[in-house]
Amino acid sequence: MSTAVETRPEARTPGMWGASRLYAAGLVLFGVVGIFMSGLILHDKIMLLQDVGFTPACTLNDVVSCTDVMNSSQAAAFGFPNPFIGLVGFAVVLTIGVALFAGARFRAWFWYGFLAGLVFAVGFVHWLAYQAVYEIEALCPYCMVVWAVVLPLFVSTVVRVARSRSLDRGGVQSSGVAAVGMPAAVVVVWYLGFTALILQQFVF
């Protein structure tokens, strides 16, 4: 039992933080999904630029309309198509996940930098969601998958950083159930909030 505790990266080297295989696998999964969906959005955006009559597969009606979303000014918030941000950002997530799964550890400043990137991502996602629901008044299923991926990435990383800081200060590692249950509950409530706003805008 004592050997298991001594081999934890957090306990052995304060300031050099690793992560569980579950967290690392989550980064890999979310990174792959994010890259794939960003690629689909970019493909359809390029097709729309080449042919104004092109209809993306995710355009079903006036509400579920990737066409309206992709043709909006918000789809290029920084002067270029938003999917480029997703392709780069999720590639970083995937790379970090693979490294952690292989047993890598990173200095605390690296984790804070990663968390700062996710703060930007989750803020950007909320802005895009607001624009889609209340300004464009149309939904893009591909974009919504990206939103759904960013939220658990952010929450799980906040928890990961907080626990690593706690271990550096002599805290006790929480149980596996607590490590998964609390972040999962936060994400579920977040999803329910998004769903309620969408239903209120488009259904009720």
Side-chain angles (χ1 to χ4, degrees), residues 9-183:
E10 297 90 339
R12 187 174 64 247
T13 310
M16 290 288 290
W17 303 341
S20 67
R21 284 182 172 269
L22 178 61
Y23 175 80
L27 293 191
V28 171
L29 174 62
F30 295 142
V32 169
V33 172
I35 290 172
F36 180 73
M37 299 311 298
S38 296
L40 284 180
I41 297 169
L42 182 60
H43 169 268
D44 285 357
K45 177 65 175 179
I46 293 173
M47 293 299 293
L48 280 170
L49 291 173
Q50 294 176 338
D51 178 10
V52 294
F54 173 75
T55 301
C58 54
T59 293
L60 304 180
N61 51 48
D62 290 340
V63 173
V64 182
S65 177
C66 290
T67 303
D68 291 343
V69 175
M70 292 177 185
N71 282 332
S72 68
S73 60
Q74 293 92 329
F78 299 98
F80 54 85
N82 295 338
F84 282 117
I85 300 175
L87 288 173
V88 173
F90 286 115
V92 171
V93 170
L94 175 59
T95 301
I96 294 174
V98 170
L100 289 171
F101 200 81
R105 291 171 290 164
F106 300 105
R107 293 191 180 277
W109 63 260
F110 181 92
W111 282 96
Y112 290 132
F114 182 41
L115 182 57
L118 290 175
V119 169
F120 166 79
V122 79
F124 190 43
V125 157
H126 280 75
W127 180 80
L128 290 173
Y130 177 86
Q131 294 298 315
V133 174
Y134 296 107
E135 299 295 332
I136 306 170
E137 297 185 336
L139 300 173
C140 168
Y142 295 166
C143 303
M144 293 172 71
V145 173
V146 174
W147 305 346
V149 165
V150 169
L151 296 180
L153 273 173
F154 171 71
V155 172
S156 61
T157 302
V158 168
V159 173
R160 177 67 263 170
V161 169
R163 287 184 176 145
S164 295
R165 281 170 53 87
S166 176
L167 286 171
D168 273 1
R169 296 174 180 178
V172 179
Q173 179 68 52
S174 57
S175 69
V177 174
V180 175
M182 190 276 285

